[in-house]
Amino acid sequence: MTKYIVITGGVISGVGKGVATASIGRILKENGFSVTAIKIDPYINCDAGTMRPTEHGEVWVTGDGGEIDQDLGNYERFLEQPIPKRNNITTGQIYKTLIEKERRGDFLGETVQFIPHVPDEIKNRIKEASAGFDLALIEIGGTVGDYENIPFLFAMKSLENEIGKINICYALVTYLPVPSHISEMKTKPTQLAIKLLREEGIQPDFILCRGKQALDEPRKRKIEQYSNILSDHIISMPDVTGDNTPNTLYVIPLDLEKEKLGDKLMKILGLNPKKTPDWSEWKSAVNRLVNPKKEISVGIVGKYLKIGDFQLIDSYISIHEAIKHASSKNDVKVNLVWINAPELEEPKANISRILSGIKGIIIPGGFGSSGVEGKIKAITYCRENHVPFLGLCYGLQLAVIEFARNVCGLNGAHTTEIDPHTKYPVIDLLPEQENIMEKGGTMRLGEYPAILTENSRVRELYHNVGEISERHRHRYEVNPLFHQILQEKGLVFSGMSPNGKLVEFIELPQHKFFIGTQAHPEFKSSLLHPAPLFDGFVESCLK
Ligand code: GLN
């Protein structure tokens, strides 16, 4: 039977529940258990696909084509296993299902009510997502005390009654502020958060204390005394980003292990480890991140107007992490420089000056017209000056447009996403895509295979494997009408869909590193297994 660890958050939002959940998952996996993680989002959206990334962070794409909250990305990066879309449960999904069932007559004669129907639907979904696993982590989004997560806390208590307390435990991640006028870490907000959780009938077994610095013994004892939680179960989780800190989230499982959180969790759930954890590889990967031997700068050209630094990283979190993974592998610190594409469009823009000092350029995924000509200018610069270039999705499409215009002489070549009447629609909607749209979908979403071309750079980077698969999220494709001219002029299609119709990877063979992919390999990258294209890109930026 599956055992559950429920993670809630107190005091403030953004307290780091996602990374805490992912880290706990990794620890238990290291102890030999099969683990999965479930994210509960109390919002009414059915998924994150329609949310603005600059507000809500990146839209994470699962292997089975879900457009999901970015926390699932952390779960996958730490657990190194695919997490399917059903592991994201939202209020919208719960009510949608219940209303559909009611309309279908599934509850004929009954009054459909909040209790028991809502908690039952929540529990059903949790059981489905966790079936077959030793352990399931359930992260409840939002903060205790929010109206909207009460139904989920109620469902947890009901699950506890069903399966028994030995099979479920609760952790509360809280924040301990250090007000500048007293310079002392305060425990009161944490005490109040514990109280709020108890109002829902839930007694937290563990308190994970986030804060600028580590929690000291007097404060652990204070929480113990005022809230009746054993100080042994009050775990310190200090900041890992900022001045004088290792600046990597990947240190968190190691920090939590110092507090013996894994052993304590297993004890409370009546479990014995199935194997001895081996953190050696993880530790050396973290060490290379903390003390890198080299340092370089890499540019990401996008449209970043009116976005603060924090949202910026959040909207591109998977690329940011994939670069980190590749940095660790190559023992280098990579500073990401965010280059605002519209700036490159100015007629007087001095591209080589703006891009000076930058060792390579990434063009990330994107939609719409803003900044597109600036991105194309950056691609020309990379192509002509042997500057490493990695194009991700839109990045590939724009590289094809650039090549069509400037090498094939197809003046005005474009994507029909921006210019529906272009003379040379090198990027276009294909019949395959129209089929998806007829079925109510709008994008090619999720994992798709690609056959890699022999002797290509891409195939070499994928360790000479003939067929690989990566995740997709796009509508448009390289137009087959132009495949021949692009190839004749020297663009190599280094990976195609198995039916040979869709271009999945491109490269320029004589170039230091000029590679584009229609996919988003950043979604499958992890610290111990960096995405091959990111690894190769960082490696050639170093040369
Ligand atoms: N806008 C492009 C398309 O829909 C690319 C999407 C992306 O980069 N994810 O095909």
Side-chain angles (χ1 to χ4, degrees):
M1 187 176 125
T2 309
K3 298 199 181 229
Y4 296 91
I5 301 173
V6 179
I7 291 104
T8 56
V11 182
I12 54 168
S13 61
V15 74
K17 294 187 299 291
V19 176
T21 305
S23 301
I24 293 173
R26 182 74 199 198
I27 292 172
L28 295 164
K29 197 170 173 176
E30 284 296 328
N31 279 281
F33 297 101
S34 63
V35 183
T36 191
I38 299 164
K39 172 77 194 286
I40 288 178
D41 282 309
Y43 45 66
I44 296 174
N45 304 58
C46 285
D47 64 36
T50 54
M51 290 191 214
R52 197 175 295 118
T54 48
E55 227 168 75
H56 195 77
E58 167 192 271
V59 175
W60 171 260
V61 180
T62 61
D64 59 350
E67 296 176 286
I68 307 285
D69 184 275
Q70 55 166 328
D71 272 321
L72 261 75
N74 278 324
Y75 302 166
E76 283 203 24
R77 283 187 280 269
F78 280 71
L79 285 170
E80 295 193 284
Q81 76 194 34
I83 303 280
K85 64 180 167 196
R86 66 167 182 215
N87 285 35
N88 185 220
I89 302 172
T90 74
T91 298
Q93 294 170 15
I94 303 289
Y95 279 94
K96 185 168 181 273
T97 309
L98 284 177
I99 291 168
E100 279 168 2
K101 280 188 182 168
E102 189 274 335
R103 290 290 83 188
R104 235 183 11 232
D106 289 12
F107 302 116
L108 232 46
E110 275 179 66
T111 311
V112 184
Q113 288 182 295
F114 176 78
I115 295 177
H117 295 96
V118 168
D120 281 354
E121 181 60 30
I122 296 171
K123 285 188 291 178
N124 286 345
R125 283 173 180 255
I126 286 175
K127 285 176 199 162
E128 255 170 46
S130 56
F133 288 93
D134 295 330
L135 283 155
L137 301 151
I138 305 171
E139 177 191 346
I140 302 195
T143 313
V144 287
D146 290 349
Y147 290 112
E148 52 181 19
N149 61 26
I150 292 174
F152 296 100
L153 295 173
F154 188 90
M156 294 305 104
K157 191 67 197 173
S158 155
L159 183 66
E160 178 191 317
N161 287 344
E162 232 177 78
I163 62 177
K165 180 66 189 75
I166 186 69
N167 294 315
I168 186 166
C169 74
Y170 303 91
L172 173 69
V173 187
T174 70
Y175 182 73
L176 287 93
V178 185
S180 56
H181 64 289
I182 18 185
S183 321
E184 189 196 310
M185 201 175 226
K186 302 306 282 179
T187 65
K188 183 73 77 192
T190 294
Q191 295 171 35
L192 294 174
I194 295 171
K195 215 172 150 197
L196 280 171
L197 198 53
R198 284 191 181 131
E199 280 177 16
E200 303 309 321
I202 291 174
Q203 164 71 4
D205 298 285
F206 294 92
I207 312 295
L208 308 186
C209 299
R210 290 293 316 279
K212 244 189 158 46
Q213 64 240 23
L215 192 68
D216 55 9
E217 280 309 314
R219 254 147 287 264
K220 282 192 180 180
R221 271 198 304 279
K222 189 153 189 187
I223 299 174
E224 172 172 70
Q225 216 171 14
Y226 282 78
S227 299
N228 282 325
I229 309 269
L230 290 179
S231 61
D232 211 29
H233 283 193
I234 299 166
I235 309 288
S236 174
M237 224 183 128
D239 282 358
V240 292
T241 50
D243 304 337
N244 309 319
T245 49
N247 230 339
T248 166
L249 299 175
Y250 300 104
V251 81
I252 292 175
L254 305 175
D255 280 357
L256 294 177
E257 273 302 69
K258 282 188 201 142
E259 300 251 346
K260 301 220 172 333
L261 181 60
D263 293 351
K264 293 173 187 175
L265 279 164
M266 285 183 278
K267 191 166 169 214
I268 216 159
L269 290 169
L271 293 167
N272 288 315
K274 290 186 175 176
K275 76 171 186 58
T276 315
D278 177 6
W279 291 103
S280 51
E281 250 192 283
W282 190 279
K283 270 186 189 156
S284 39
V286 167
N287 278 341
R288 286 192 302 272
L289 276 180
V290 180
N291 305 303
K293 293 227 168 60
K294 298 147 274 184
E295 184 168 349
I296 54 167
S297 294
V298 160
I300 303 201
V301 184
K303 39 175 185 184
Y304 306 133
L305 251 67
K306 299 190 205 110
I307 309 179
D309 264 3
F310 179 72
Q311 287 104 309
L312 228 158
I313 293 184
D314 242 33
S315 330
Y316 291 96
I317 186 80
S318 294
I319 295 180
H320 188 259
E321 293 307 307
I323 284 286
K324 275 231 160 107
H325 307 148
S327 322
S328 162
K329 171 107 185 284
N330 289 284
D331 209 350
V332 56
K333 176 173 187 220
V334 176
N335 301 310
L336 290 183
V337 183
W338 308 96
I339 298 160
N340 197 26
E343 225 172 272
L344 303 178
E345 287 172 357
E346 302 286 321
K348 282 200 211 110
N350 183 338
I351 308 277
S352 40
R353 195 188 48 77
I354 300 176
L355 302 181
S356 72
I358 283 170
K359 295 290 184 216
I361 297 273
I362 295 177
I363 308 277
F367 295 84
S369 62
S370 121
V372 153
E373 292 305 322
K375 292 178 192 173
I376 292 176
K377 271 190 177 177
I379 297 170
T380 310
Y381 173 82
C382 290
R383 186 175 54 75
E384 289 176 346
N385 297 290
H386 275 275
V387 174
F389 161 78
L390 178 60
L392 306 168
C393 202
Y394 216 15
L396 169 138
Q397 297 176 358
L398 299 179
V400 167
I401 293 169
E402 195 278 334
F403 193 83
R405 286 184 189 173
N406 301 329
V407 181
C408 306
L410 306 176
N411 265 337
H414 223 318
T415 161
T416 51
E417 177 175 354
I418 296 178
D419 181 1
H421 307 296
T422 171
K423 209 164 143 200
Y424 304 113
V426 288
I427 307 294
D428 199 3
L429 278 183
L430 301 192
E432 278 88 345
Q433 192 54 39
E434 276 156 15
N435 285 343
I436 295 180
M437 290 168 111
E438 271 163 28
K439 286 187 200 127
T442 64
M443 289 204 237
R444 181 143 84 105
L445 271 173
E447 202 135 330
Y448 283 88
I451 309 294
L452 301 184
T453 311
E454 275 186 55
N455 300 320
S456 67
R457 184 77 184 279
V458 168
R459 180 149 169 171
E460 185 191 322
L461 289 170
Y462 278 93
H463 316 288
N464 267 313
V465 177
E467 181 177 330
I468 57 101
S469 72
E470 293 287 6
R471 297 188 191 168
H472 289 247
R473 182 176 189 249
H474 59 101
R475 295 188 178 88
Y476 294 81
E477 306 281 352
V478 180
N479 188 341
L481 293 176
F482 296 89
H483 284 185
Q484 195 184 344
I485 179 162
L486 291 164
Q487 288 174 293
E488 274 169 11
K489 294 288 178 184
L491 190 66
V492 168
F493 294 168
S494 27
M496 300 292 290
S497 59
N499 65 6
K501 283 193 187 147
L502 307 177
V503 178
E504 299 283 13
F505 294 88
I506 58 164
E507 67 186 61
L508 285 179
Q510 312 309 338
H511 196 281
K512 192 174 171 189
F513 187 103
F514 191 100
I515 290 179
T517 167
Q518 191 56 81
H520 289 278
E522 64 272 24
F523 291 134
K524 280 175 74 178
S525 188
S526 67
L527 181 60
L528 303 186
H529 300 96
L533 295 191
F534 281 82
D535 182 18
F537 171 73
V538 168
E539 192 189 7
S540 48
C541 290
L542 275 167
K543 278 187 191 143

